[in-house]
Amino acid sequence: MNKNDVMSYVDDVRCKIVSGDINKAILMHFDLMMTTYQQKPLFYKHILKHDRFMVAVTLLSFSFKNPKMPLSRVKEFCRDRDYMSGNSLDSLFSLFEITGFMDVIADEEDGRQRLYKPTAAALSTAKNLINAYTKPSEGMIPNEDRLNRVTLPHDLVPHYYKGFAKVLDANIMLGQQRTDEIWIMNKDGGHLPMLALYVDNLRNSCSKADQKVSTYSDLSSRLGVSHTHIIRIIKEGESRGYFKCNKHQVQLQPEFTELVHRVMASHFAIARVSLELGIACSDSST
């Protein structure tokens, strides 16, 4: 598929997901994400920020595309996409190395180049996150029979990230067309604070519309972020028309529901298309 074909297919899958039971998919996704998140909340609250998360998935995609990919090439790509500055990328690469998610070695042929390789811990985490994005949308889009062929753990991660590399090349990630889609995801906790508010509302649908969804302290504790961080998100969301606040009460507006559905449909569509493209790539090489 060329860039336009990938964009068209992602849009097609997105539309099919939106027309299905997307709330059920969101609930499953949130629970799967939180299972991984709560293992290392202080780590994941930083890594799931949209720009940092894009760097992480770029590292994985480039690695499976070319096992001898220089770290400098990933840095150049991420800098060109304005994910992070050069110094910030160096710091993030160091964090991944220190925390055991990436091994960095000198290139035997060119000692000035540094090569990298995701560790077993990184691949295990990647598998969990892939499941969190792909399982909720099962049965909601066509060609499921092809996707269900991927059953072995060692197949899932390389298939997914080889396909994701094609999505990266097409440059159709969140925020490319609509900057409002990433306003909340580029904060500590990534998109999980957004989903925590939305999911709590879904699971307490019998409560009054203007009743507080959950306490700031509860959200802060679950997500490993500060009480002040949650308040700032709520206040910014109110200024954007997503919430109405009255003292300690938060009312989710229809615009917020539309935002959540649009963002998550895009996430699910990109994930499913990435896996299918990865499978197609593998089939064509056999």
Side-chain angles (χ1 to χ4, degrees), residues 35-148:
T35 298
T36 297
Y37 187 95
Q38 290 175 339
Q39 294 173 4
K40 293 184 177 181
L42 296 180
F43 174 76
Y44 288 114
K45 77 172 184 178
H46 293 301
I47 299 307
L48 289 180
K49 291 177 69 171
H50 179 73
D51 287 351
R52 294 182 181 187
F53 186 68
M54 289 307 303
V55 174
V57 294
T58 299
L59 282 164
L60 287 164
S61 296
F62 277 39
S63 176
F64 285 108
K65 186 177 181 180
N66 177 8
K68 292 188 176 182
M69 179 68 68
L71 198 55
S72 60
R73 177 67 186 91
V74 181
K75 181 179 179 180
E76 178 184 2
F77 178 89
C78 293
R79 192 171 51 206
D80 289 346
R81 289 288 177 90
D82 291 327
Y83 294 154
M84 301 176 72
S85 69
N87 289 338
S88 295
L89 285 167
D90 287 337
S91 297
L92 186 58
F93 294 159
S94 295
L95 175 64
F96 285 138
E97 188 175 8
I98 292 170
T99 53
F101 280 77
M102 181 172 73
D103 290 330
V104 178
I105 58 175
D107 187 344
E108 293 181 358
E109 298 178 359
D110 184 355
R112 296 170 300 177
Q113 291 284 3
R114 292 187 301 159
L115 306 181
Y116 73 95
K117 181 181 180 180
T119 64
L123 298 181
S124 176
T125 297
K127 180 177 181 294
N128 291 336
L129 295 181
I130 292 169
N131 283 331
Y133 281 99
T134 56
K135 283 187 175 298
S137 61
E138 287 180 356
M140 298 175 72
I141 61 174
N143 298 324
E144 286 294 325
D145 58 327
R146 293 188 67 196
L147 299 180
N148 288 338

Side-chain angles (χ1 to χ4, degrees), residues 213-263:
V213 175
S214 69
T215 66
Y216 294 149
S217 296
D218 177 54
L219 290 171
S220 172
S221 176
R222 277 192 288 162
L223 297 169
V225 298
S226 70
H227 185 275
T228 301
H229 180 65
I230 297 296
I231 293 175
R232 286 174 178 168
I233 288 177
I234 296 295
K235 292 299 183 183
E236 183 174 353
E238 183 180 27
S239 70
R240 292 172 177 266
Y242 295 124
F243 311 122
K244 280 187 177 179
C245 303
N246 180 18
K247 294 183 179 180
H248 295 294
Q249 294 180 327
V250 179
Q251 181 180 355
L252 308 187
Q253 297 300 289
E255 291 81 3
F256 185 66
T257 296
E258 293 172 6
L259 173 71
V260 172
H261 284 187
R262 186 170 66 245
V263 167

Side-chain angles (χ1 to χ4, degrees), residues 7-19:
M7 292 179 67
S8 178
Y9 191 56
V10 169
D11 284 340
D12 179 61
V13 173
R14 183 190 294 116
C15 290
K16 287 180 171 60
I17 289 174
V18 169
S19 65

Side-chain angles (χ1 to χ4, degrees), residues 159-176:
H159 277 321
Y160 181 86
Y161 282 107
K162 286 178 182 177
F164 195 88
K166 297 181 180 297
V167 174
L168 277 177
D169 288 341
N171 199 17
I172 55 175
M173 302 307 298
L174 292 176
Q176 296 300 321

Side-chain angles (χ1 to χ4, degrees), residues 156-204:
L156 181 63
V157 177
H159 277 321
Y160 181 86
Y161 282 107
K162 286 178 182 177
F164 195 88
K166 297 181 180 297
V167 174
L168 277 177
D169 288 341
N171 199 17
I172 55 175
M173 302 307 298
L174 292 176
Q176 296 300 321
Q177 287 76 39
R178 303 180 60 109
T179 56
D180 61 317
E181 289 182 343
I182 63 170
W183 74 272
I184 199 169
M185 292 186 292
N186 217 19
K187 301 181 183 298
D188 282 352
H191 67 298
L192 292 184
M194 171 186 75
L195 288 192
L197 289 163
Y198 186 73
V199 164
D200 283 359
N201 187 61
L202 283 180
R203 289 175 168 161
N204 294 280

